[in-house]
Amino acid sequence: QVQLVESGGGLVQAGGSVRLSCTVSGSIFSINTMGWYRQTPGKQRESVARITTGGTTNYADSVKGRFTISRDGAKNTVFLQMNSLKHEDTAVYYCNAKIKKYVWQWESDYWGQGTQVTVSS
């Protein structure tokens, strides 16, 4: 029932920028932390950026100063602005949200389908 739909991925040149978005839909009680992860073949999925409901952010060292995560609580949407892209940023990017469907339930992790970001050069 709960869905996370990502958009914004594609091919971009080194030094360029892209903006990813992810919208949560379905019947839910609340959304806590949201974030972005990425994965390349042969490597484990890694956290790129996370943001709490209060606006506290957390970034991987490799993207600090280049990426910015933000969210729109009213629209259940999280964004990732990626600037000064490098070839090393090439990966499948996954949206994540910690969601409580009902007030009496524990929070669970939900994931988007992933969107490919390819940085040329």
Side-chain angles (χ1 to χ4, degrees):
Q1 188 73 149
V2 177
Q3 291 183 292
L4 279 66
V5 180
E6 301 128 323
S7 63
L11 177 64
V12 62
Q13 293 183 336
S17 300
V18 297
R19 184 171 184 257
L20 306 182
S21 64
C22 172
T23 299
V24 178
S25 64
S27 181
I28 60 174
F29 174 74
S30 64
I31 304 174
N32 196 355
T33 301
M34 303 183 76
W36 292 92
Y37 293 71
R38 66 185 181 187
Q39 187 170 23
T40 57
K43 299 179 65 177
Q44 291 188 339
R45 184 175 59 189
E46 65 173 347
S47 175
V48 176
R50 293 181 291 176
I51 184 169
T52 68
T53 55
T56 301
T57 58
N58 189 329
Y59 296 94
D61 290 340
S62 60
V63 307
K64 286 181 179 178
R66 300 188 297 119
F67 292 7
T68 301
I69 188 170
S70 61
R71 66 190 293 173
D72 184 335
K75 297 181 179 180
N76 294 336
T77 300
V78 63
F79 305 92
L80 185 66
Q81 179 67 46
M82 303 191 291
N83 299 325
S84 302
L85 284 165
K86 306 174 181 179
H87 180 68
E88 307 92 273
D89 296 319
T90 297
V92 177
Y93 285 74
Y94 296 91
C95 176
N96 169 265
K98 198 167 187 178
I99 297 173
K100 182 181 292 187
K101 287 182 65 67
Y102 304 99
V103 67
W104 59 85
Q105 289 187 334
W106 299 107
E107 294 179 338
S108 298
D109 282 319
Y110 290 83
W111 298 90
Q113 79 285 354
T115 183
Q116 177 72 45
V117 175
T118 301
V119 183
S120 64
S121 183

